[in-house]
Amino acid sequence: MEEQEIERENREDEEHVIDLLSLSLSLSLRVCPFLICIYFASSSNGSWKLGSNKLGTAPVFSYSGNTGPDKWGSLSPLYATCSNGKAQSPIDIVKNKVVRNKNLKPLRREYYPANATLVNHGYNVGLVFGNAGVLILNGKNYTLLQMHWHSPSEHKIHGVTFDVELHLVHMASDGSLAVIAILYKIGDADPIIAKIQSKLAELAKEVFTNQDQIAVGTYDTWKLRRNTRKYYRYIGSLTTPPCTENVIWHIFGKERSISKEQIEALKAPVKATCKKNSRPVQPLNGRQVELFDEFS
């Protein structure tokens, strides 16, 4: 039964890929960059620019089989960085190899309530914002564009995999990217997800198309603004194709809790080949992982 469902979804992917790409081009980069990231290639300075690929040439990817992570780089020239990139994400953060950087400061985030839309990308679900505020790094503003979830976690801490990982995706005016990652373990329900749990249930009832989205209305991001007294920082990449590099990653040292029901709610809308939507950890290749710890 599961094999038949996967085969059916693969056929639907092939039928709808051109429609998906057409829809993606019509959306604003600042509203939903991950819907159109397959159109972008990394420039030498790490910013995004429009690629030269023709409509309909970017293939669908998944997390298993012939379109799984170990095949991403061979699916299209647009995805080549997924295979040949030297600064890929996620990684395993080995505690005794991180370097404490005394020049790092607490992350400064100025988030505020914003209009939001819940979107089913097929490979994950995400909450896309209007004007939700900024992350400020070295005096540079990175606008909060969207957040999405992976289960199990993509990053590991000293070999430990967590139950869920939340990514808060930010982009500066020059196209450079910064992502905050929050790790979860099973426990009490997470209030961040509780706000949209009924909407997730609605999304799961829909037969997947390439335009699945539900208006959430005003979403107050204040619970995302909690001060963090510990985080890891390194330079990596997007964890989905095209695996664009020069992304500034901040992984919080303190995990949050999430209920089993909430994990199932996040998985329910996505395709069968993406229920476990975490990319395996990538080689560090000499990169340095820095640590900010307010108490050390």
Side-chain angles (χ1 to χ4, degrees):
M1 183 67 69
E2 183 177 349
E3 291 180 355
Q4 291 177 345
E5 182 180 357
I6 292 173
E7 183 178 352
R8 176 183 60 79
E9 289 178 344
N10 286 339
R11 288 199 303 269
E12 290 175 351
D13 285 338
E14 293 172 359
E15 293 169 359
H16 292 301
V17 66
I18 293 180
D19 290 338
L20 173 60
L21 297 173
S22 298
L23 170 68
S24 297
L25 278 178
S26 69
L27 297 175
S28 164
L29 174 61
R30 293 183 63 82
V31 173
C32 191
F34 272 50
L35 282 178
I36 56 176
C37 69
I38 52 180
Y39 281 102
F40 287 77
S42 176
S43 66
S44 59
N45 65 2
S47 62
W48 283 11
K49 61 182 180 181
L50 190 62
S52 60
N53 57 303
K54 296 180 180 180
L55 186 64
T57 60
V60 171
F61 65 89
S62 73
Y63 288 86
S64 64
N66 292 331
T67 56
D70 60 333
K71 301 291 195 302
W72 287 352
S74 62
L75 293 177
S76 166
L78 293 174
Y79 298 172
T81 304
C82 299
S83 292
N84 59 31
K86 300 301 181 184
Q88 289 289 290
S89 296
I91 61 170
D92 183 7
I93 298 171
V94 180
K95 292 182 179 180
N96 59 4
K97 293 185 178 180
V98 301
V99 177
R100 184 171 182 268
N101 185 344
K102 295 183 179 181
N103 294 320
L104 292 177
K105 305 296 182 184
L107 292 181
R108 182 181 170 191
R109 289 167 289 158
E110 297 180 357
Y111 299 157
Y112 31 81
N115 190 50
T117 302
L118 187 65
V119 180
N120 181 8
H121 299 131
Y123 54 88
N124 67 33
V125 291
L127 200 59
V128 179
F129 299 109
N131 185 9
V134 296
L135 165 68
I136 303 172
L137 299 175
N138 298 320
K140 184 176 180 177
N141 287 356
Y142 291 78
T143 300
L144 175 61
L145 298 177
Q146 60 114 303
M147 64 185 191
H148 62 272
W149 293 264
H150 295 268
S151 180
S153 71
E154 297 199 299
H155 287 88
K156 296 182 180 182
I157 305 294
H158 215 69
V160 175
T161 299
F162 293 78
D163 296 295
V164 172
E165 182 171 334
L166 169 63
H167 291 167
L168 305 175
V169 184
H170 307 74
M171 180 181 284
S173 59
D174 62 2
S176 54
L177 295 166
V179 181
I180 290 175
I182 302 174
L183 303 171
Y184 286 80
K185 62 181 180 181
I186 292 176
D188 295 333
D190 177 36
I192 293 174
I193 299 173
K195 290 183 177 183
I196 58 169
Q197 203 157 341
S198 62
K199 299 294 185 181
L200 285 168
E202 288 181 39
L203 204 60
K205 292 178 182 178
E206 301 289 334
V207 176
F208 177 71
T209 70
N210 52 43
Q211 302 183 47
D212 285 356
Q213 53 185 294
I214 295 177
V216 173
T218 300
Y219 186 93
D220 190 353
T221 58
W222 72 271
K223 290 187 180 296
L224 301 173
R225 297 195 303 252
R226 289 182 179 176
N227 291 333
T228 178
R229 294 180 170 86
K230 181 179 180 179
Y231 64 81
Y232 302 96
R233 179 187 184 276
Y234 78 100
I235 305 301
S237 73
L238 299 179
T239 63
T240 55
C243 306
T244 305
E245 296 188 336
N246 294 308
V247 176
I248 306 172
W249 279 91
H250 300 84
I251 298 91
F252 284 4
K254 183 178 181 180
E255 69 271 6
R256 300 178 71 113
S257 66
I258 185 172
S259 69
K260 291 182 179 179
E261 292 76 16
Q262 288 180 323
I263 294 176
E264 292 307 312
L266 291 171
K267 289 182 176 182
V270 301
K271 298 184 295 181
T273 55
C274 301
K275 298 295 185 184
K276 293 184 178 180
N277 59 352
S278 56
R279 186 189 192 191
V281 294
Q282 303 296 302
L284 201 55
N285 291 326
R287 285 175 289 169
Q288 186 176 84
V289 180
E290 298 177 327
L291 169 66
F292 167 78
D293 191 341
E294 190 173 351
F295 297 115
S296 68

